[in-house]
Amino acid sequence: MAPETPAEPEPMPAPAVILVQPQLAENVGTTARAMHNCGLGDLRLVEPREDWLGDKAVAAASGADAVLRAARAYPTTAAAVADLHRVLATTARRRDMVKPLTTPRQAAQTLGGVIAAGHRAGVLFGPERAGLGNDDVALADAIIEVPLNPAYRSLNLAQAVLLVGYEWFQAHGGPFDMAPPASDSPPATQADLDNLHHHLFRELEDCGFLRSEEKRPGMKRNIRNIFQRAGLSVQEVRTLHGIVKELRHGRR
Amino acid sequence: MAPETPAEPEPMPAPAVILVQPQLAENVGTTARAMHNCGLGDLRLVEPREDWLGDKAVAAASGADAVLRAARAYPTTAAAVADLHRVLATTARRRDMVKPLTTPRQAAQTLGGVIAAGHRAGVLFGPERAGLGNDDVALADAIIEVPLNPAYRSLNLAQAVLLVGYEWFQAHGGPFDMAPPASDSPPATQADLDNLHHHLFRELEDCGFLRSEEKRPGMKRNIRNIFQRAGLSVQEVRTLHGIVKELRHGRR
């Protein structure tokens, strides 16, 4: 019997991206790239005009061709969303349709709720020039509109997918390591900073810079603040010691 | 003397976008488009390799060529940021540099604070393949990293600009009208819904559907909930009245 290994935590399933009648293979490729950026993998194509596994699409996917290879084509939008419990539609122009209007940020919350409940969700994107037709929008539960410059809201296909996917990833992409890089040199301690300040002030007093007794405390505090704020590393503190020494005692 | 007209509220100034050594005019064009999407207009080019006012760039800008025409070129990154008070640098790879790390969302807050204080700010973006060199990153006060799929973070130039600009617009782009479209048909009132429910229930009782006295209240409530949730318009209520009537009394 094989020893049991602890199960890896499953990543949260992500919404499907449904491209309705994409016209250019290149745009399917750049969409795959944007999806992979955002941890999305379920690409569905309704009546794609060009081959989404051809050279143009693969080149445009720029390394994200696994998303292209996993893509499935459907004859109708209804077929592409048949297994989904919740469908949102992206549009750039307002429709004369009574549908809730949402933003990518709000949509990420909505989709997250649906998926966390064990259901499946997807987002519809229309053809490059025309956008979604009203019959396709009618299949959606709500409309996503991206808040952008009202005088210029036109996004290309991959950019629309990127913004929706970006908000998905911000909300559900898991912890993102924002720790600064592990430096070769660890951050300086307060004691390191104290030593630097003592060294600097000693030399400044010695050369007559801190002449005025009255102004000395304020001046010292101001100088200290400069280095305090800088978040110095041990190596940088060492460099500054060297600079002070050299300025004071180096060749004249 | 001309009559005084009340001053239009000035839009909040926006951060500059600085492209360092952009290689392809097309990418400068798509960047201009993304900037215009996000209400950004100050484009600065450090040693651009190709003509940013040529046909390729203008075509890629897709109507946002005013941003291209207003762009200025600089011989060095230092010259391009000389008038700015706060500079952030975008990078895809971690640097062995002690710099605060921030996200586009946090950066939008930081930049907003700087600009609200009457100062100027900008964001550096590196060349397409290589990204920013360390000397350019050293000119920045902090590094912006976009939280994306850790296994695949590569964004093209315009997409990186779009995500930073998108967050700027979400935070400072002014009120975005999320009101649903003014429909030809106003939303139904509760009285309209009551009438519809009474009509439906009368017909359902008449045809024997609500037979069980015991289950009737729950069943009525469930049916009512369906239409209640749907946010019906006056026209849609009228349509539903027609459907009920037709189903019950139409040709057999």
Side-chain angles (χ1 to χ4, degrees):
Chain A
M1 228 174 81
E4 279 195 41
T5 52
E8 282 270 313
E10 286 275 319
M12 186 175 192
V17 167
I18 304 115
L19 302 187
V20 178
Q21 297 172 343
Q23 297 299 293
L24 300 177
E26 192 188 336
N27 291 332
V28 179
T30 51
T31 293
R33 179 179 180 177
M35 287 176 63
H36 195 34
N37 280 145
C38 304
L40 306 178
D42 183 353
L43 175 59
R44 304 174 180 204
L45 307 169
V46 179
E47 296 188 272
R49 207 186 56 166
E50 299 187 338
D51 177 13
W52 67 94
L53 290 171
D55 289 348
K56 272 192 198 169
V58 171
S62 195
D65 42 295
V67 176
L68 290 178
R69 283 195 305 275
R72 284 161 295 167
Y74 297 83
T76 63
T77 306
V81 302
D83 67 314
L84 302 181
H85 300 89
R86 189 68 162 263
V87 177
L88 304 182
T90 54
T91 69
R93 17 180 206 107
R94 293 286 161 95
R95 309 305 174 112
D96 190 16
M97 258 190 249
V98 180
K99 286 248 190 242
L101 208 55
T102 184
T103 62
R105 192 161 299 173
Q106 294 161 352
Q109 297 302 325
T110 305
L111 295 168
V114 170
I115 288 172
H119 300 143
R120 283 180 297 275
V123 183
L124 292 170
F125 296 84
E128 288 89 336
R129 295 217 160 262
L132 286 171
N134 283 340
D135 287 346
D136 290 327
V137 175
L139 294 173
D141 306 304
I143 289 173
I144 302 180
E145 230 181 67
V146 185
L148 287 173
N149 180 359
Y152 188 73
R153 302 234 304 264
S154 122
L155 287 169
N156 77 28
L157 187 52
Q159 285 177 322
V161 172
L162 179 68
L163 290 180
V164 171
Y166 166 80
E167 287 287 8
W168 169 263
F169 194 89
Q170 302 316 296
H172 309 291
F176 185 76
D177 173 22
M178 286 301 291
S183 170
D184 284 348
S185 179
T189 63
Q190 291 304 308
D192 295 329
L193 290 180
D194 278 350
N195 283 337
L196 175 64
H197 295 137
H198 288 314
H199 179 192
L200 176 62
F201 296 144
R202 198 171 57 237
E203 297 293 357
L204 287 176
E205 286 183 23
D206 192 41
C207 68
F209 180 79
L210 293 173
R211 210 162 289 149
S212 155
E213 281 287 350
E214 194 194 334
K215 291 184 182 165
R216 193 178 294 178
M219 182 78 91
K220 278 179 109 165
R221 198 164 50 240
N222 290 346
I223 293 174
R224 179 158 190 143
N225 266 335
I226 295 171
F227 293 106
Q228 195 73 36
R229 268 199 323 263
L232 299 173
S233 71
V234 166
Q235 177 57 50
E236 288 165 335
V237 168
R238 208 173 297 141
T239 303
L240 288 167
H241 276 294
I243 287 174
V244 170
K245 187 177 164 196
E246 200 58 30
L247 287 173
R248 182 84 182 109
H249 304 287
R251 232 187 359 242
R252 303 262 150 179
Chain B
M1 226 174 85
E4 278 194 40
T5 52
E8 283 270 313
E10 285 277 318
M12 188 175 188
V17 167
I18 304 115
L19 303 187
V20 178
Q21 298 173 342
Q23 297 299 293
L24 300 177
E26 192 189 336
N27 291 333
V28 179
T30 51
T31 293
R33 179 180 180 176
M35 287 175 64
H36 195 34
N37 280 145
C38 304
L40 306 178
D42 183 354
L43 175 58
R44 304 175 180 204
L45 307 170
V46 179
E47 296 187 89
R49 209 187 54 167
E50 299 187 338
D51 177 13
W52 67 95
L53 290 171
D55 291 349
K56 272 192 198 170
V58 171
S62 195
D65 40 296
V67 176
L68 290 179
R69 282 194 305 275
R72 284 161 294 167
Y74 297 83
T76 62
T77 306
V81 302
D83 66 314
L84 303 180
H85 301 89
R86 190 67 163 264
V87 177
L88 304 181
T90 54
T91 70
R93 16 178 207 109
R94 292 288 161 96
R95 307 307 172 109
D96 189 17
M97 257 188 250
V98 180
K99 287 252 190 237
L101 208 55
T102 184
T103 62
R105 192 161 299 173
Q106 294 162 353
Q109 296 303 325
T110 304
L111 295 168
V114 170
I115 288 172
H119 300 144
R120 285 181 297 275
V123 183
L124 293 169
F125 295 83
E128 288 89 337
R129 295 219 160 260
L132 286 172
N134 283 340
D135 287 346
D136 290 327
V137 175
L139 293 173
D141 306 304
I143 289 174
I144 302 180
E145 231 182 66
V146 186
L148 287 173
N149 181 358
Y152 188 73
R153 302 232 306 265
S154 123
L155 287 169
N156 76 28
L157 188 51
Q159 286 178 322
V161 172
L162 179 68
L163 291 180
V164 171
Y166 166 80
E167 288 286 9
W168 169 263
F169 194 89
Q170 303 316 297
H172 308 291
F176 185 76
D177 173 22
M178 287 300 292
S183 171
D184 284 349
S185 180
T189 62
Q190 292 304 307
D192 295 328
L193 290 179
D194 278 351
N195 283 337
L196 175 63
H197 295 137
H198 288 314
H199 179 192
L200 176 61
F201 296 145
R202 197 172 57 238
E203 296 293 359
L204 286 176
E205 285 182 23
D206 192 44
C207 69
F209 180 80
L210 294 172
R211 209 161 290 148
S212 155
E213 281 287 350
E214 193 192 336
K215 292 185 181 163
R216 195 179 294 178
M219 182 77 91
K220 279 179 108 164
R221 200 166 47 241
N222 289 345
I223 294 173
R224 179 158 189 143
N225 266 336
I226 294 171
F227 292 107
Q228 195 71 37
R229 268 202 321 265
L232 299 173
S233 71
V234 167
Q235 177 57 51
E236 288 166 335
V237 167
R238 208 174 294 141
T239 303
L240 287 167
H241 276 292
I243 287 173
V244 170
K245 188 178 163 197
E246 201 59 30
L247 287 173
R248 181 80 182 114
H249 302 287
R251 235 192 353 248
R252 305 257 149 183

